[in-house]
Amino acid sequence: DLIREHQKLHRRAEHASCVAGRTWDWDGVRFTFLHPDEPGLREDSGLSDNDRSCVLKIESTQAGHGAWAQRSALLMGDLEAQQERRLVARTAVASLRADWLQVPHHGSRTSSTDELLHAVRPKWAVVQAGAFNRYGHPHPTVLARLQAHGAEVVSSPTCGAHFWHSDRRVGQSCWREMAPAYWQ
């Protein structure tokens, strides 16, 4: 009986590819896919899996609710330089602006172009990379570029889990600061 219930739920679950322009609102928050576009979804598009990554803009749609009104985040996936430039060229600047940026491609040197950072203008930039990873992410030139664009950079190897607060005084905190012992 439990198996049949699980199968019913599974059949009802819907799946839709992330495709530029797809938008939905939920509980005062708007979600908008900015990348890839329809042609980029095709296997024969010539794009790598990284460059077909979903790019998702998340923004508050609530006005007048104090510090969290009109806050936004941009999740970039593994996009690399060429697709970043393409995204910037075909997307309205207002759609790219974000307070919080998940740095593309773990901060590899083939990402986080000046064009992208100029368009987004993040206050916070979060690099998701494993500590002591074999690729050396985040790359020092990317960190320097982020800082040159005025972003406060947070990296998961030094921060651990990152918490971005938009529902009260806007800010961020790191798990390693809140619980410095790794076993906590």
Side-chain angles (χ1 to χ4, degrees), residues 10-167:
H10 182 66
R11 273 181 271 171
R12 279 189 275 159
E14 291 183 30
H15 173 276
S17 297
C18 58
V19 60
R22 186 166 287 153
T23 301
W24 70 98
D25 293 314
W26 183 40
D27 198 23
V29 179
R30 174 164 293 134
F31 299 85
T32 306
F33 285 120
L34 302 178
H35 184 84
D37 57 8
E38 288 278 356
L41 288 173
R42 294 194 315 264
E43 290 291 324
D44 66 349
S45 67
L47 296 180
S48 68
D49 287 344
N50 283 350
D51 280 335
R52 284 189 291 176
S53 291
C54 297
V55 174
L56 181 65
K57 172 90 177 265
I58 304 167
E59 56 193 324
S60 166
T61 58
Q62 309 250 348
H65 282 75
W68 75 285
Q70 305 303 310
R71 297 294 176 199
S72 59
L74 187 61
L75 309 180
M76 291 293 299
D78 281 345
L79 240 54
E80 295 186 54
Q82 184 177 358
Q83 291 305 309
E84 287 179 13
R85 288 184 185 105
R86 187 168 173 245
L87 175 69
V88 170
R90 68 176 165 79
T91 308
V93 172
S95 295
L96 290 169
R97 288 271 196 283
D99 301 303
W100 188 95
L101 172 69
Q102 177 255 319
V103 175
H105 202 213
H106 316 285
S108 78
R109 71 168 191 245
T110 62
S111 67
S112 304
T113 60
D114 280 318
E115 294 90 341
L116 177 74
L117 297 177
H118 180 72
V120 176
R121 296 186 181 180
K123 294 176 185 147
W124 296 277
V126 178
V127 179
Q128 294 177 308
F132 310 111
N133 68 81
R134 66 183 176 176
Y135 302 105
H137 296 154
H139 196 274
T141 59
V142 169
L143 293 176
R145 197 163 36 239
L146 288 161
Q147 291 166 342
H149 281 272
E152 181 180 333
V153 180
V154 178
S155 180
S156 59
T158 56
C159 179
H162 177 262
F163 301 91
W164 180 60
H165 310 281
S166 64
D167 60 344

